[in-house]
Amino acid sequence: MVRKRPNILVTGTPGTGKTTTSSALAEATQLRHINVGDLVKAKNLHDGWDDELDCYIINEDLVCDELEDTMEEGGNIVDYHGCDFFPERWFDLVVVLQTDNTVLYDRLTRRGYSESKLSNNIECEIFQTLLEEAKESYPQDIVLPLKSDSIQDISTNLSTLTEWIRRWQPST
């Protein structure tokens, strides 16, 4: 089955603006926004709680099983801070949001992140862990890093992505 609408993965370190960008893009393009963190909680697609990392232990197989039919249909914006467990065939574009460390630190501090969770996420951004993960998991030509430090950056990114969706053609 050939999809009539594209699937986009929006990934990046927590605090880079994935949900903000994905929600606004879904509204602008009428694509479906899937926040994987919310889906994991709502459908119990996890193996319990990790006290040290202060988050659910996601069951990647359950998540992929849950999303398979929806992804085959197309027209989805998937929002998650990891990307290496999704099937490559699902995505036409993989957006990696990146944020300056000082901006990210302030955002995560406002969220009330513990010191260890804060430093873990800042290190991920410094070492561009999510960008490297995306480049290793998907074809280079569909991985798009975008700066996400400000409202202006988000606005520019929305324009870029909306235009990409407008021009997208299904592969035959």
Side-chain angles (χ1 to χ4, degrees):
M1 178 171 93
V2 176
R3 292 193 305 265
K4 292 179 176 42
R5 311 254 1 238
N7 286 328
I8 298 171
L9 173 61
V10 179
T11 190
T13 306
T16 55
K18 295 177 300 299
T19 301
T20 300
T21 299
S22 297
S23 296
L25 186 60
E27 193 173 312
T29 61
Q30 301 309 298
L31 296 182
R32 181 186 305 114
H33 175 206
I34 300 169
N35 180 313
V36 173
D38 290 348
L39 182 72
V40 165
K41 284 181 232 158
K43 303 256 183 166
N44 270 345
L45 307 176
H46 59 81
D47 296 324
W49 184 260
D50 184 322
D51 287 326
E52 189 177 326
L53 293 176
D54 195 29
C55 64
Y56 285 105
I57 303 163
I58 184 173
N59 183 313
E60 297 171 353
D61 291 333
L62 290 178
V63 170
C64 289
D65 289 347
E66 179 69 29
L67 290 176
E68 183 68 45
D69 292 343
T70 302
M71 297 307 291
E72 287 297 317
E73 290 170 21
N76 301 294
I77 301 166
V78 176
D79 156 8
Y80 192 60
H81 60 261
C83 68
D84 61 348
F85 69 91
F86 297 115
E88 181 184 321
R89 71 181 185 282
W90 280 4
F91 298 107
D92 303 292
L93 183 66
V94 177
V95 176
V96 182
L97 296 180
Q98 299 179 298
T99 301
D100 176 85
N101 296 325
T102 54
V103 174
L104 187 60
Y105 184 90
D106 291 344
R107 288 179 186 172
L108 297 179
T109 300
R110 281 194 302 273
R111 287 185 180 183
Y113 276 34
S114 68
E115 198 57 44
S116 64
K117 193 170 180 177
L118 196 61
S119 61
N120 184 22
N121 283 296
I122 297 294
E123 279 179 27
C124 279
E125 193 64 9
I126 289 169
F127 295 117
Q128 299 190 338
T129 305
L130 273 294
L131 179 58
E132 290 309 310
E133 189 177 290
K135 287 179 175 179
E136 289 170 8
S137 302
Y138 300 95
Q140 298 288 309
D141 63 335
I142 72 164
V143 176
L144 177 64
L146 293 175
K147 183 177 151 206
S148 184
D149 290 344
S150 65
I151 299 296
Q152 181 56 51
D153 290 339
I154 291 170
S155 178
T156 300
N157 294 343
L158 285 174
S159 296
T160 299
L161 296 171
T162 301
E163 180 61 19
W164 182 91
I165 291 165
R166 193 185 64 72
R167 290 191 338 253
W168 180 82
Q169 296 293 316
S171 45
T172 52

